[in-house]
Amino acid sequence: MNKIISIKEAVDKIQDGMTIMVGGFLANGTPERLIDALVEKGVKDLTLICNDTGYPDRGVGKMVVAKQFKKMIASHVGTNPETANQMNSGETIVDLVPQGSLAEKIRCGGTGLGGFYTPTGIGTEIESGKEKKVIDGKEYILELPLKADVALIYGSKVDKKGNIIYNKSTKNFNPLMAMAAKTVIVEAQEIVEVGEIGPDEVMTSGIFVNHIVGGDK
């Protein structure tokens, strides 16, 4: 099966109203070409699951500026003033999740777990409306899993079966998101032949990847 497709074919798979996960940490490790193509397409009313909302001119922040999200689930929005503007005006729902809890919620979504109990958020607005439980005398919040229709991730080196190597900190949320979406599209910095990535080098197995774009290097 040939997994390599064009940028246009990739963004055609994303329609209004879908939930998307986007890898990256302050735009480091974010699939920028896919983001640019989605801005150009003008798809709207999306729900975003991402560590942060980037910057106004980098990462998913460009989609925030273009007002393409009806809801954003993130752990940090402070580097993109447009996110705060839309949140304060009531134009967009912003669900802030502690970073560790966000990562674990995505991991639960990818591994089929029903959620997890954490003390993070006890005594804050984070606990509002959530089930709580006392374990060994300590109070915990039940956090539920997150899943998406499509995950857009970035890989430094990707072979034609979709096996991925991430360069240093670009790894961040990408491996977790690759397991938690119905369709996974990786934007590759470099596409190599099968066999050029050794089995012990693989950070995300090709079994999780549906489509590959990019490979300009």
Side-chain angles (χ1 to χ4, degrees):
M1 175 184 173
N2 179 19
K3 294 185 176 183
I4 299 175
I5 60 175
S6 68
I7 291 280
K8 182 181 184 307
E9 289 173 319
V11 298
D12 282 348
K13 299 181 184 300
I14 300 172
Q15 305 300 323
D16 293 352
M18 280 187 166
T19 296
I20 65 170
M21 288 182 178
V22 181
F25 194 118
L26 292 174
N28 181 46
T30 293
E32 294 281 3
R33 292 179 64 188
L34 287 169
I35 296 300
D36 289 342
L38 285 171
V39 170
E40 183 177 351
K41 180 180 178 179
V43 64
K44 60 184 185 301
D45 295 330
L46 299 171
T47 294
L48 170 70
I49 300 171
C50 190
N51 175 64
D52 54 82
T53 55
Y55 302 89
D57 60 348
R58 287 184 61 199
V60 293
K62 290 179 280 191
M63 295 182 70
V64 175
V65 171
K67 300 185 176 181
Q68 293 178 276
F69 300 117
K70 66 178 180 183
K71 182 176 182 179
M72 305 178 218
I73 302 171
S75 69
H76 173 67
V77 299
T79 53
N80 191 337
E82 181 59 23
T83 306
N85 291 339
Q86 294 178 26
M87 178 175 67
N88 292 334
S89 69
E91 187 176 0
T92 306
I93 298 169
V94 178
D95 188 1
L96 288 170
V97 181
Q99 191 171 79
S101 294
L102 178 66
E104 188 65 5
K105 284 163 75 71
I106 296 169
R107 193 187 73 85
C108 285
T111 55
L113 299 176
F116 64 99
Y117 285 97
T118 175
T120 303
I122 289 290
T124 74
E125 291 186 10
I126 297 294
E127 70 174 39
S128 179
K130 295 178 180 174
E131 179 183 323
K132 292 190 287 185
K133 189 171 186 176
V134 176
I135 302 173
D136 288 338
K138 188 173 181 178
E139 202 169 28
Y140 292 80
I141 300 168
L142 174 62
E143 292 283 6
L144 300 177
L146 288 172
K147 298 179 183 179
D149 296 304
V150 180
L152 304 175
I153 64 174
Y154 181 82
S156 302
K157 184 181 288 187
V158 182
D159 75 19
K160 292 181 177 178
K161 285 191 175 180
N163 296 303
I164 302 172
I165 291 176
Y166 307 99
N167 183 30
K168 299 178 181 176
S169 60
T170 62
K171 186 176 182 182
N172 54 69
F173 279 72
N174 285 305
L176 293 176
M177 291 179 173
M179 297 192 299
K182 296 174 185 173
T183 299
V184 176
I185 303 171
V186 57
E187 179 181 318
Q189 181 181 22
E190 178 183 8
I191 298 175
V192 299
E193 296 295 330
V194 174
E196 292 189 38
I197 297 176
D200 58 345
E201 297 178 292
V202 173
M203 298 176 179
T204 290
S205 172
I207 196 170
F208 295 111
V209 175
N210 301 99
H211 305 291
I212 305 164
V213 300
D216 291 338
K217 185 175 178 180

